[in-house]
Amino acid sequence: MKIYDISMTITPNMQVYKNMESKKPIITVVSDFSTGSSHETQLSMNLHTGTHMDFPLHMIEDGLTSDTLDLSKLIRPVKVVDMTHIKDGISDEDLKKIDINENDFLLFKTINSYDEKFLTQFIYIDESASIYLASKHIAGVGVDGLGVERNQEHHPTHKNLMMNDIIIIEGLRLKEVKQGQYFMYALPIKITNSDALPLSIILIEEPHEHLQSKS
Amino acid sequence: MKIYDISMTITPNMQVYKNMESKKPIITVVSDFSTGSSHETQLSMNLHTGTHMDFPLHMIEDGLTSDTLDLSKLIRPVKVVDMTHIKDGISDEDLKKIDINENDFLLFKTINSYDEKFLTQFIYIDESASIYLASKHIAGVGVDGLGVERNQEHHPTHKNLMMNDIIIIEGLRLKEVKQGQYFMYALPIKITNSDALPLSIILIEEPHEHLQSKS
């Protein structure tokens, strides 16, 4: 059983959206052996830092929150799609070259995965592509940038996906993963009433037919 | 495929160790639609709150940290052991009644799982039991309290387990899970150089022989 760990590691100097100081995690030692009998650490982090899942509240006023989480939708077959040839936004024309079916969960591997620094011009899913994905009734999409879109006024990609119940995962690391089918375990730290949840995600290479048949 | 989610949910008023204010998670809305075009949340949390894995640094000066994490040790068969008859500490005598083998990963289900409030007298693994588990060369242990031990001077249970490379998981929720064999996916949020990592954990009921044979 080959396991790919496709989540980011949380470090003080990790890449964060637009390099904003407010998005950098703060890791603090709150107790050590000079002050007590144990060593304890505190993490303070914006929930859109690192690998995470967006909920509709992130972009839609009064949108659904993490309280509506259905874990079974994150444990399922996925398709990793090689998009490393894309230089800017992924468009509907790019997607029409790919076999996309109802209920697919697509993880787009782009050149974002090959850089540990934040790319100002990161590859994203453009508005036309989000409309196309919604028309195909896919179940979810994962990207290897820290945003599913970039510089699109009013965030149409987020909204088109969210309003069509398409799960959005951001911040994947896919450099080591080839295009193909995998079984995904995307397990969240469950925080109540939130606009995002941190995810730890693995892909299993070997197809398990008895698992796929149940999805 | 029956999936059991055995992790705690993070809420402002969740149970925390000894009800200490400093251990309660702080969930803050840092942006909303009155101030910007998106809704974003920040979490600040002691990493020993909620379901988590301890690393030796937690109790041993200069002990190993999360940088030594080997994910494959958290994706494997486990045994859930019903210990709901225990009223105080689990002792070596209690464990001698159970079939324990080398490389087992044991999750102890106790009455802790039946209460969402912090129990001052929570069930724990006493020093004699930790010595016994070390002698059996088990791989890991999970408990449904927020500490693997309670009121033992110098933390001998933590130290006996850690010094024998036995993984420690704390804060499980096992009320819904019957005694038996399961396949565990315990996926951490990877934070560098830490004494603990938050875990999201599921148990799969159906035994997958092809998975177990590789562990």
Side-chain angles (χ1 to χ4, degrees):
Chain A
M1 178 168 77
K2 170 77 176 165
I3 296 170
Y4 294 95
D5 177 1
I6 62 168
S7 320
M8 287 190 182
T9 297
I10 307 298
T11 73
N13 294 311
M14 68 190 293
Q15 64 164 304
V16 295
Y17 192 69
K18 293 189 177 173
N19 294 316
M20 293 162 76
E21 278 301 316
S22 63
K23 302 240 175 172
K24 289 190 180 171
I26 299 166
I27 302 169
T28 311
V29 176
V30 291
S31 165
D32 66 16
F33 301 106
S34 69
T35 58
S37 65
S38 68
H39 193 286
E40 299 201 358
T41 300
Q42 179 115 0
L43 172 69
S44 181
M45 189 172 79
N46 183 300
L47 296 176
H48 297 269
T49 290
T51 309
H52 66 278
M53 173 178 176
D54 277 350
F55 286 86
L57 177 63
H58 179 43
M59 289 298 179
I60 299 172
E61 203 155 357
D62 300 320
L64 297 177
T65 74
S66 57
D67 290 356
T68 63
L69 174 73
D70 177 354
L71 196 59
S72 69
K73 294 185 174 176
L74 298 170
I75 300 170
R76 52 159 294 153
V78 295
K79 289 180 186 170
V80 173
V81 183
D82 192 323
M83 286 285 183
T84 53
H85 55 286
I86 302 288
K87 303 294 179 210
D88 189 33
I90 298 171
S91 70
D92 57 351
E93 292 304 319
D94 298 318
L95 295 181
K96 283 172 186 166
K97 298 169 187 159
I98 302 164
D99 180 33
I100 298 178
N101 299 299
E102 189 173 334
N103 195 38
D104 275 354
F105 203 120
L106 305 172
L107 308 183
F108 292 122
K109 174 183 180 172
T110 78
I111 55 173
N112 297 338
S113 280
Y114 290 80
D115 214 310
E116 292 307 319
K117 294 200 179 103
F118 179 76
L119 299 171
T120 314
Q121 300 299 311
F122 67 87
I123 310 302
Y124 66 102
I125 297 175
D126 83 8
E127 181 174 3
S128 71
S130 69
I131 293 169
Y132 184 75
L133 291 172
S135 76
K136 287 288 190 179
H137 304 290
I138 68 164
V141 64
V143 294
D144 53 7
L146 283 168
V148 72
E149 70 188 304
R150 150 165 79 74
N151 296 338
Q152 295 189 131
E153 203 179 7
H154 305 306
H155 313 300
T157 295
H158 274 95
K159 289 177 184 170
N160 286 333
L161 297 173
M162 288 168 168
M163 290 192 296
N164 287 282
D165 296 324
I166 297 170
I167 291 172
I168 299 172
I169 295 176
E170 296 172 335
L172 298 173
R173 300 284 79 198
L174 294 169
K175 187 169 76 171
E176 309 297 336
V177 187
K178 287 187 188 149
Q179 175 162 305
Q181 292 235 22
Y182 298 86
F183 198 88
M184 173 174 81
Y185 294 84
L187 300 190
I189 301 299
K190 293 167 291 165
I191 301 157
T192 45
N193 200 33
S194 179
D195 45 66
L197 292 182
L199 288 176
S200 184
I201 314 184
I202 57 168
L203 299 181
I204 309 283
E205 191 157 49
E206 187 183 356
H208 305 311
E209 284 177 20
H210 65 291
L211 297 179
Q212 294 188 337
S213 65
K214 302 286 180 63
S215 72
Chain B
M1 177 167 78
K2 170 77 176 165
I3 295 170
Y4 295 95
D5 177 0
I6 61 167
S7 321
M8 286 190 184
T9 297
I10 308 298
T11 73
N13 294 312
M14 68 189 293
Q15 63 165 304
V16 296
Y17 192 69
K18 293 188 178 174
N19 293 317
M20 294 163 76
E21 278 301 314
S22 62
K23 302 243 173 167
K24 289 189 180 173
I26 299 166
I27 301 170
T28 311
V29 175
V30 291
S31 164
D32 66 16
F33 302 106
S34 69
T35 58
S37 65
S38 68
H39 193 286
E40 298 200 359
T41 299
Q42 179 113 0
L43 172 70
S44 181
M45 190 172 79
N46 183 301
L47 295 177
H48 298 269
T49 290
T51 308
H52 66 277
M53 172 177 175
D54 277 351
F55 286 87
L57 177 63
H58 179 43
M59 288 298 178
I60 299 171
E61 202 155 358
D62 300 320
L64 297 178
T65 75
S66 57
D67 290 357
T68 64
L69 174 74
D70 178 353
L71 195 57
S72 70
K73 294 186 175 175
L74 297 171
I75 300 170
R76 52 159 293 150
V78 295
K79 289 180 185 170
V80 173
V81 184
D82 192 322
M83 286 285 183
T84 53
H85 55 285
I86 302 288
K87 303 295 179 209
D88 188 34
I90 298 171
S91 71
D92 56 351
E93 292 305 319
D94 298 318
L95 295 181
K96 284 172 186 167
K97 298 169 189 161
I98 302 164
D99 180 33
I100 298 178
N101 299 299
E102 189 174 335
N103 195 38
D104 275 353
F105 203 119
L106 305 172
L107 308 184
F108 292 122
K109 174 183 180 172
T110 78
I111 54 172
N112 297 336
S113 280
Y114 290 80
D115 214 309
E116 293 307 318
K117 295 202 179 101
F118 179 75
L119 299 172
T120 315
Q121 300 299 313
F122 67 87
I123 310 303
Y124 66 102
I125 297 175
D126 82 9
E127 181 173 4
S128 71
S130 69
I131 293 169
Y132 184 75
L133 291 172
S135 77
K136 287 288 188 177
H137 303 290
I138 67 165
V141 65
V143 293
D144 53 7
L146 283 167
V148 74
E149 70 189 304
R150 152 165 77 74
N151 296 338
Q152 296 188 128
E153 202 179 6
H154 304 307
H155 313 298
T157 295
H158 274 95
K159 289 177 184 170
N160 286 334
L161 297 173
M162 289 169 167
M163 290 192 296
N164 287 283
D165 296 325
I166 297 170
I167 291 172
I168 299 172
I169 295 176
E170 295 173 336
L172 298 174
R173 299 283 81 196
L174 294 169
K175 187 169 73 171
E176 307 297 336
V177 187
K178 286 187 189 149
Q179 174 163 306
Q181 291 234 24
Y182 298 86
F183 199 89
M184 174 175 79
Y185 294 84
L187 301 189
I189 300 299
K190 293 167 292 164
I191 300 156
T192 46
N193 200 33
S194 179
D195 44 66
L197 292 182
L199 288 176
S200 184
I201 314 184
I202 58 168
L203 298 181
I204 308 282
E205 190 158 50
E206 187 183 356
H208 304 310
E209 283 177 20
H210 64 292
L211 297 180
Q212 295 189 335
S213 64
K214 302 286 181 60
S215 72

